[in-house]
């Protein structure tokens, strides 16, 4: 069973990221990444049952609108989810203003500053596109955040084909002996060429 499959199994049982990371001997951010990928795959949020939950969702949605990188930029999303768990462990209610003020202080300031500074050309483009300046700024912010690369942990040559090899390998239950056979066959073919 792959590490990702083990993480998914623990998450399904309701285990915390700390517990999973300790049990599997992995970085906690890896757990958040798997949790985020699973949420992205299912895509449908649970139905809201109470007014209190709706207030929380409104605040969460408003924060997500101000931070369009959330759910798009894998590393920043994992960091935000880790901070969420940290705040919960500190006993801070995620429905409170204190919670959202802390989250904004940690993650929201860059996006908010960037959104406030559109050039006259950008304002004209937003008008031509028929969208608000705020929407244009969110789109630009998302593009800028997504285009950043991490040459140390995720160099571009790791992502040939659009996915890092390690992510592909861990997402599949591969027959490693067969994979080794294919690799050896390719090595032999290149030596003969």
């Amino acid at each position: 069973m792959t590490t990702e499959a083990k993480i998914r199994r623990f998450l399904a049982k309701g285990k915390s990221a700390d517990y999973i990371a300790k049990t599997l001997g992995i970085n906690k951010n890896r757990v958040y990444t798997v949790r985020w990928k699973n949420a992205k795959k299912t895509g449908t949020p649970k139905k809201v049952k109470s007014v209190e939950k709706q207030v929380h969702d409104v605040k969460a949605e408003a924060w997500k609108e101000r931070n369009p990188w959330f759910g798009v930029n894998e590393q920043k999303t994992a960091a935000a989810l880790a901070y969420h768990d940290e705040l919960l462990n500190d006993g801070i209610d995620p429905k409170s203003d204190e919670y959202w003020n802390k989250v904004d202080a940690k993650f929201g300031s860059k996006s908010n500053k960037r959104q406030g500074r559109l050039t006259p050309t950008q304002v004209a483009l937003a008008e031509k596109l028929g969208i608000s300046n705020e929407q244009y700024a969110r789109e630009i912010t998302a593009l800028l955040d997504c285009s950043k690369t991490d040459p140390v942990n995720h160099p571009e040559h790791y992502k040939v084909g659009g996915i890092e090899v390690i992510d592909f390998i861990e997402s599949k239950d591969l027959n490693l002996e067969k994979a080794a056979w294919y690799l050896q066959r390719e090595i032999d073919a290149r030596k003969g060429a």
Side-chain angles (χ1 to χ4, degrees), residues 50-67:
S50 71
V51 172
E52 197 173 270
K53 178 72 172 154
Q54 288 175 347
V55 170
H56 169 67
D57 287 347
V58 168
K59 288 180 181 180
E61 287 303 315
W63 183 86
K64 192 175 174 186
E65 262 190 47
R66 291 190 312 272
N67 297 279

Side-chain angles (χ1 to χ4, degrees), residues 37-96:
K37 284 179 181 177
N38 285 346
K40 194 173 175 183
K41 282 179 189 174
T42 57
T44 53
K46 294 178 183 172
K47 290 188 177 178
V48 177
K49 293 184 180 176
S50 71
V51 172
E52 197 173 270
K53 178 72 172 154
Q54 288 175 347
V55 170
H56 169 67
D57 287 347
V58 168
K59 288 180 181 180
E61 287 303 315
W63 183 86
K64 192 175 174 186
E65 262 190 47
R66 291 190 312 272
N67 297 279
W69 53 263
F70 188 80
V72 176
N73 181 312
E74 198 170 311
Q75 287 179 316
K76 286 177 83 173
T77 299
L81 292 171
Y83 190 61
H84 164 78
D85 280 356
E86 190 178 308
L87 292 174
L88 293 181
N89 288 338
D90 289 345
I92 298 173
D93 181 2
K95 296 178 282 275
S96 70

Side-chain angles (χ1 to χ4, degrees), residues 139-176:
E139 297 296 330
I140 291 297
T141 301
L143 286 171
L144 291 173
D145 286 339
C146 290
S147 67
K148 292 179 182 168
T149 59
D150 181 351
V152 174
N153 297 310
H154 302 283
E156 286 303 311
H157 69 273
Y158 280 16
K159 293 185 251 182
V160 174
I163 184 171
E164 287 195 28
V165 174
I166 190 71
D167 292 335
F168 175 79
I169 290 170
E170 289 175 348
S171 71
K172 307 288 180 195
D173 282 327
L174 296 177
N175 177 336
L176 296 180

Side-chain angles (χ1 to χ4, degrees), residues 63 66-67 69 101-117:
W63 183 86
R66 291 190 312 272
N67 297 279
W69 53 263
N101 290 339
K102 285 182 179 280
V103 172
D104 273 338
K106 183 133 181 139
F107 295 101
S109 59
K110 274 188 181 174
S111 292
N112 291 341
K113 284 178 190 167
R114 235 190 257 144
Q115 287 180 9
R117 287 190 249 150

